Amino acid sequence: MLAAILFDLDGTIVNTDPIHYQAWQKMLLSYDITIDETFYKSRISGRLNPEIVKDILPQLTVIEGEKFADEKETLFRQLAPHLQALHGFAELIKWTETHQLKRALVTNAPRQNAEFMLEVLGIKEIFHTIVLADDCVAGKPDPEPYQVALNNLEILAEQAIALEDSPSGIRAAVGAGIRTIGIASTHDPQILQQVGTFMAIPDFADLQLWQFLNSLI
């Protein structure tokens, strides 16, 4: 029996990748590094900032890397004052309320970014638990954030559905034993299915999603 839906944030509830891409492009230009969308998707999207900086800018010290990442996230927030949730999100939340399902947010987003996006979208109060990578020993693709969410909701993995857009997020949810639906806002649907989703859809208005969810109630 379905008891909860667990949501990723960036790229799932709201398509922030074009803004993150723009911010990373601008920041990396100061190091004479030019990136394209392929580079962004393979080396940046879905990963934690410390990992990204260590990979792309290995010459930076830990403190320099933290400063760089903080400046990048500040730039992101400056570029993203008018975010909107993906099509069908509000209807999905209403559906979970109708059927008395629990809702969790599980995100690798830095705390300030997560709070900023939840505030802009007006959805801070809709989740029964919010799990940030900052509060975990390991972030996605490690399954720990999803395991923490399950524990907080006091449910088993088989009672939940996860919604994710990135390969790292999908690996985390699948690694926690949760059935995972891919949101193909940032990556090709085939890639999402290759890393473990049983379905890949463009947004929350997709008929395939609703047919599946209604079959569980």
Side-chain angles (χ1 to χ4, degrees), residues 143-181:
E144 186 194 353
Y146 276 103
Q147 292 167 341
V148 169
L150 293 173
N151 290 338
N152 290 351
L153 295 176
E154 299 181 332
I155 61 170
L156 300 174
E158 52 264 34
Q159 294 175 286
I161 295 292
L163 293 159
E164 274 283 357
D165 76 296
S166 72
S168 67
I170 292 164
R171 290 188 180 99
V174 172
I178 303 168
R179 292 171 292 179
T180 305
I181 297 172

Side-chain angles (χ1 to χ4, degrees), residues 188-204:
D188 187 283
Q190 290 183 331
I191 292 175
L192 303 186
Q193 291 182 310
Q194 286 170 3
V195 292
T197 66
F198 68 92
M199 179 192 307
I201 57 176
D203 57 35
F204 303 110

Side-chain angles (χ1 to χ4, degrees), residues 27 47 77 79 89 92 94-95 103 106 117 122 125 128 130 142-143 156 175 177-178 181 187 199 201 212 214:
M27 291 294 297
R47 300 178 73 193
R77 292 191 294 274
L79 295 171
F89 177 74
L92 179 55
K94 289 176 184 176
W95 184 86
R103 296 170 296 277
V106 185
M117 286 184 275
E125 307 302 324
H128 296 88
I130 295 176
D142 193 282
L156 300 174
I178 303 168
I181 297 172
H187 293 271
M199 179 192 307
I201 57 176
F212 171 72
N214 284 317

Side-chain angles (χ1 to χ4, degrees), residues 9-83:
L9 181 54
D10 279 290
T12 300
I13 292 176
V14 55
N15 186 8
T16 52
D17 262 35
I19 305 170
H20 281 297
Y21 175 45
Q22 184 180 350
W24 279 107
Q25 270 189 318
K26 187 170 183 178
M27 291 294 297
L28 290 171
L29 274 177
S30 62
Y31 287 87
D32 296 322
I33 297 174
T34 303
I35 67 171
D36 58 15
E37 288 191 18
T38 300
F39 183 101
Y40 175 80
K41 288 180 179 181
S42 63
R43 303 275 293 276
I44 296 176
S45 180
R47 300 178 73 193
L48 291 167
N49 279 343
E51 298 171 355
I52 298 168
V53 174
K54 186 177 180 180
D55 176 24
I56 301 173
L57 299 169
Q59 71 272 29
L60 298 186
T61 65
V62 172
I63 293 174
E64 289 170 340
E66 290 175 351
K67 182 174 182 292
F68 178 91
D70 286 345
E71 291 175 356
K72 180 264 158 183
E73 299 307 345
T74 298
L75 177 58
F76 163 78
R77 292 191 294 274
Q78 291 171 352
L79 295 171
H82 303 298
L83 297 174

